[in-house]
Amino acid sequence: MKKKLRFLIIEEKAGVNHLDLVRAIQDLGHESHHCKLSDVVMRSNEHGLSAFFGGTDFTDFDIVLPRTVSSNLRLGRLLLRLKSPHQFILDHCISERDTFGKISQAHTLLDAGVLHPKVYFTNNQEDFAKDIEHALEFPCIAKPIVGSQGRGITLVQNSQEALHLIESAGEDYLFQEYLPIESDYRVFMIGNEVFGAMRRFVAPNDIRSNVSIGAKTEACIPTPTMKEVALRAATAFKYDVAGVDIAIVGEKHYVLEVNRSPQWQGIKNTLGIDPALAIVKYCLEKHKQLQAL
């Protein structure tokens, strides 16, 4: 009889993706536990530091899925560094990487030789006012440094709109080169392999193609170039699971973003596939490999 493994899902909200994971874990005969990062308790003794969720030692969980740790990234990184050798933690690479949202994304992609739209950032309003005429080309896209599902993304038509946004925003924004596209592509990667891909059409009267805002999608077969670009982007971040967003302008393939914890309802419904089941099976295989070491 196979051993029943204990999964820990660290996630702020138990949405539809979370429920998919729980169902997949249970269908495969294992236990699913859910906690928020804020539920962690840490204690030290003469042997070192230990973490607990609901009285259970963090290292007693066999497989950990840190779906959302951005609420306190420093705490999340520290927690993941407390793993034991027998544990498999999905995307454990985030425990070591310093990130600054989309600015860090741009650096990682460009450093890996992946084409990415030009970006500009400063949180100094005086510098921004001085730079704006020669640093930005209009229209351009303004994005919150930290954000998901298209939140806060807007098209900026001129320098006056850009200045107003910087002056009035309650968070850090970057400005990104605008690419005149009608659609982009989401390539869903699991373990450095393409699991599925879909084309996403820009929503009417919008610049975003996020499924969460109602953008239309269609199944697609990624070209060899799309596969190569998506693999290079996911590999640059060392993610186990990634949603790579690609825009094609002429012959150029731009990676717009690499999502570590991608929403998958759109690709699930568009392609009729089960990303949660594939992710859980991937975790089980990686855990099995660890035990063989």
Side-chain angles (χ1 to χ4, degrees):
M1 182 177 181
K2 69 177 182 181
K3 177 186 175 184
K4 181 178 287 190
L5 300 181
R6 305 179 76 183
F7 282 72
L8 173 63
I9 304 173
I10 303 175
E11 191 155 30
E12 292 301 307
K13 296 181 180 179
V16 288
N17 286 358
H18 176 92
L19 297 177
D20 279 353
L21 286 170
V22 171
R23 181 256 312 154
I25 291 166
Q26 294 177 349
D27 284 353
L28 292 171
H30 301 286
E31 293 180 10
S32 174
H33 302 265
H34 170 222
C35 285
K36 300 177 182 179
L37 182 60
S38 57
D39 295 330
V40 70
V41 174
M42 292 191 175
R43 297 201 301 264
S44 67
N45 56 31
E46 63 274 17
H47 301 296
L49 187 66
S50 298
F52 299 85
F53 285 94
T56 301
D57 193 310
F58 175 65
T59 60
D60 286 343
F61 294 101
D62 300 287
I63 296 172
V64 180
L65 283 69
R67 293 277 300 163
T68 53
V69 294
S70 57
S71 59
N72 189 336
L73 197 53
R74 291 180 178 176
L75 176 60
R77 288 190 186 122
L78 173 60
L79 172 68
L80 300 185
R81 288 198 292 269
L82 298 178
K83 73 180 291 292
S84 70
H86 75 269
Q87 282 181 299
F88 175 68
I89 298 182
L90 194 72
D91 297 326
H92 185 259
C93 60
I94 64 174
S95 67
E96 303 296 339
R97 180 180 297 123
D98 290 327
T99 61
F100 187 50
K102 293 178 174 59
I103 289 291
S104 176
Q105 282 242 343
H107 168 70
T108 301
L109 289 168
L110 294 170
D111 197 46
V114 177
L115 197 59
H116 181 69
K118 290 180 287 187
V119 297
Y120 175 87
F121 166 80
T122 180
N123 58 12
N124 185 306
Q125 292 184 20
E126 291 184 6
D127 286 345
F128 185 71
K130 294 175 183 177
D131 289 347
I132 192 169
E133 294 299 338
H134 66 267
L136 296 177
E137 295 181 6
F138 296 98
C140 63
I141 295 174
K143 295 182 175 183
I145 290 291
V146 178
S148 62
Q149 300 185 40
R151 179 190 64 82
I153 295 176
T154 185
L155 185 67
V156 176
Q157 296 286 358
N158 51 54
S159 59
Q160 288 75 24
E161 289 184 8
L163 282 168
H164 176 72
L165 178 63
I166 284 292
E167 292 168 357
S168 60
E171 58 185 319
D172 289 326
Y173 266 78
L174 69 76
F175 294 87
Q176 182 174 292
E177 176 185 5
Y178 171 69
L179 301 178
I181 57 173
E182 296 180 351
S183 63
D184 62 18
Y185 298 86
R186 162 62 62 86
V187 182
F188 202 96
M189 308 287 294
I190 302 178
N192 290 333
E193 293 185 4
V194 174
F195 180 66
M198 65 179 176
R199 187 179 184 185
R200 309 183 305 179
F201 294 88
V202 174
N205 302 314
D206 209 315
I207 58 170
R208 297 169 295 175
S209 60
N210 303 78
V211 175
S212 59
I213 64 168
K216 293 183 179 180
T217 65
E218 67 180 23
C220 77
I221 298 174
T223 65
T225 300
M226 287 172 61
K227 287 183 178 180
E228 189 273 331
V229 169
L231 176 60
R232 197 187 325 160
T235 301
F237 288 89
K238 301 180 181 179
Y239 291 156
D240 294 297
V241 175
V244 182
D245 296 340
I246 298 174
I248 302 176
V249 180
E251 298 296 319
K252 296 181 178 180
H253 288 58
Y254 292 84
V255 172
L256 303 176
E257 195 166 359
V258 179
N259 301 272
R260 182 191 72 82
S261 188
Q263 302 295 311
W264 59 66
Q265 296 306 309
I267 204 161
K268 172 185 175 183
N269 295 329
T270 300
L271 302 183
I273 56 180
D274 191 347
L277 183 61
I279 290 170
V280 172
K281 287 183 175 180
Y282 172 80
C283 291
L284 290 169
E285 180 59 31
K286 299 299 286 188
H287 179 268
K288 180 180 177 181
Q289 292 173 10
L290 280 177
Q291 310 319 300
L293 295 178

